[in-house]
Each structure stands twice: as structure tokens, then as C-alpha cells.
Amino acid sequence: MAEVSEVHALTGAVLSDALDDVARLRIAVFRAWPYLYDGNLDYERRYLQSYRDSDKAIVVGVFDGDRLVGASTGAPLTDHADDFGAAFDGSGLDVSEIFYCAESVLLPDYRGQGIGHKFFDLREAHAIRLGFTKCAFCSVLRAADHPMRPENYRPLDTFWRARGYDLLPGAIAQFSWKDVGAEKETMKPLQFWIRDLPKSESQV
């Protein structure tokens, strides 16, 4: 196991400067199950543009010296309305009050040091400071008998529930990417999870 030297929040220009490294991490980490993502840098740069455009976005960066070895992103859900807004139709929720916790990617050598909790801690604290009342994220749904599912795979449901998140019934987004070994992109269902955030001092 390699040691992490720093974990801290990136915003503004520093966030923007880090996004190419975030893209490379996404390509490397999401190639594994359950995402099986066969990515490329051009696609990544288009996908991550919303974080450059948002003044409320955050990247939690994990560093080994000057090297970015992990990252977790977040932004208001309204910044992703074109991709995910329809998943909340009929939920009765106000999407303007929801902060979207997007990907969390960490190279295998750096896992097992509690970084997953820090990813959520820093993003949720950022959301609370901005006045959001809920945090949500989504996870890809794969068939239990998928031929590429590892025998030792353990879903993260227990970890997410321990963080206070729960499934949001019926909130299924559809997103397209190219799987490893596939010839073209296909749509994937992603299930939203959500939790209420504690109020900031200014909201009490």
C-alpha cells in the first residue's frame, strides 16, 4: 500500500488545472468493474467541461507528492440537468436544492486508508457551505450474471448506507459510454442514492 501525502479540496482555477489529471484517473479506474469504461481523453474533456464552467464545483484531490492519485468531484445537480434531470421527474424533489456527488476514483495502491470517507466529508461540507439541503449520487446497475463480474466483487451499498444515503425509488438515469471490448456506446441505467444534509449555521 502506497502512502497518501495530502487530501484537499480544489476549486476555481486550481480545479480547472487538475481536470486533465482527473480525466486520466477516470479512464484508468473506471475501466474496471462495474463501469467497464473504455474511455479516451477527448470524451473526458467534454464530460468534465461542466466543472470548469461551474463556480460551485469541487474536486477533492488525493496526492502522493505532486502526483494526483485520486479524485472525487461534485457540483450542483442543476449543472447536470441535461444528463440527469429527467431521473427526478415525479420525485417531488427540488433539484436546485441537490448537490451532485459525481465520480470517486482512486488508484488501487492507495485504497484502504479511509479516503472514501474523506471524499464524502469534503464534498458534503462544500455543499452545506453553499446552502444545499441534499446530496445525491448515482451508481451503475449491472446484471448479477454479467460475464465480466469478478467473483470477489463487493458492492459499496453498505458503505453508502453508513454515510446516510439510501436509494431514491424510481430515480434511474440513462447514460451512454463504450464498454471494454464493445464496438460502440450503449445506454446504461444508473440508480440515484440521496441523503439529507445537516443545516449550516446560517440556516439554523
Side-chain angles (χ1 to χ4, degrees), residues 114-125 135 137 156-166 193-198:
I115 301 301
H117 282 293
K118 291 183 180 179
F119 280 156
F120 276 105
D121 287 343
L122 291 174
R123 290 181 299 175
E124 290 170 1
C135 265
F137 68 89
L156 293 172
D157 298 31
T158 301
F159 170 73
W160 295 329
R161 291 184 191 280
R163 293 284 323 183
Y165 290 85
D166 206 349
W193 294 65
I194 197 165
R195 66 158 293 185
D196 292 330
L197 291 171

Side-chain angles (χ1 to χ4, degrees), residues 72-147:
S72 189
T73 63
L77 185 62
T78 50
D79 289 351
H80 299 270
D82 291 344
D83 295 328
F84 298 132
F88 287 83
D89 289 348
S91 69
L93 297 173
D94 182 349
V95 296
S96 69
E97 296 181 356
I98 302 172
F99 191 82
Y100 175 55
C101 289
E103 54 276 310
S104 292
V105 288
L106 184 65
L107 294 177
D109 287 349
Y110 297 86
R111 295 173 189 171
Q113 302 180 56
I115 301 301
H117 282 293
K118 291 183 180 179
F119 280 156
F120 276 105
D121 287 343
L122 291 174
R123 290 181 299 175
E124 290 170 1
H126 179 74
I128 292 167
R129 282 195 297 271
L130 292 173
F132 289 91
T133 61
K134 299 178 185 296
C135 265
F137 68 89
C138 56
S139 61
V140 65
L141 299 174
R142 293 284 192 178
D145 60 352
H146 192 290

Side-chain angles (χ1 to χ4, degrees), residues 27-47:
I27 291 169
V29 174
F30 282 158
R31 193 171 180 84
W33 178 269
Y35 287 91
L36 303 176
Y37 169 55
D38 187 7
N40 64 75
L41 203 53
D42 287 341
Y43 177 98
E44 285 296 308
R45 284 171 173 157
R46 291 194 301 272
Y47 168 77

